[in-house]
Amino acid sequence: MTNRKVQAYFRREHGDNPVLLQGSSDVDDLIEALRAGGPSENLASLHHAERPLMPAGVPDHELLVGVDAGSQVGVLAFMDDGNFVSLDPLKGSGEVSYSIMGNATEFPESSELPVALVRQAVNEFLCSGGQRPKCVQWQEPEFW
């Protein structure tokens, strides 16, 4: 049975006290918090409790989730054995930037997705034990 616990970090106070996601209502709350976070806090780092830690005591994976407050779009990035960024092949928007605790992260062209799909992907990450969501298309970024 899947542990269904994800630790989310997106504000400075979460360093020692991450937000715990255990169900779809928690995912909804995260999406709304990122939407309300403004340009300096619209990106979260997620780690699933079921995944192992590396020898240094850090997670072996990370899902970045960003939500743009001004539009109905967001971004995803997944890191474990490789780096992957969400892909919307129908949109040709340029590079975009999202921030976690004031630190900006650049995302490549065509990485923004509808917020509903971002929400679905976070729920899938939660329920799959921390696997890369299959409900979205991914691209391997040239930089990162």
Side-chain angles (χ1 to χ4, degrees):
M1 179 165 166
T2 302
N3 189 342
R4 291 188 60 143
K5 288 186 181 176
V6 170
Q7 295 175 330
Y9 304 85
F10 53 97
R11 297 211 170 104
R12 293 197 193 313
E13 62 266 22
H14 297 153
D16 293 327
N17 190 25
V19 172
L20 191 61
L21 310 179
Q22 298 183 78
S24 61
S25 65
D26 295 330
V27 172
D28 292 343
D29 291 346
L30 170 68
I31 297 298
E32 292 311 311
L34 293 175
R35 191 185 318 254
S40 67
E41 293 181 334
N42 62 357
L43 183 67
S45 171
L46 277 55
H47 303 111
H48 202 288
E50 191 170 292
R51 298 274 305 249
L53 297 176
M54 296 192 319
V58 297
D60 74 338
H61 69 290
E62 179 175 56
L63 177 67
L64 294 177
V65 180
V67 177
D68 185 326
S71 62
Q72 294 296 314
V73 297
V75 293
L76 298 163
F78 185 81
M79 285 81 60
D80 62 0
D81 289 336
N83 295 326
F84 304 93
V85 177
S86 52
L87 171 66
D88 185 347
L90 302 177
K91 292 204 174 204
S93 63
E95 292 181 2
V96 293
S97 178
Y98 287 75
S99 295
I100 184 168
M101 297 180 232
N103 297 308
T105 300
E106 300 292 324
F107 289 84
E109 185 172 336
S110 301
S111 59
E112 289 185 304
L113 304 171
V115 168
L117 190 52
V118 171
R119 184 185 318 268
Q120 181 181 347
V122 175
N123 274 302
E124 185 179 334
F125 177 77
L126 174 67
C127 294
S128 71
Q131 299 304 306
R132 180 166 38 122
K134 295 179 180 174
C135 65
V136 300
Q137 292 185 41
W138 297 94
Q139 60 182 315
E140 291 187 54
E142 291 182 25
F143 59 91
W144 276 35

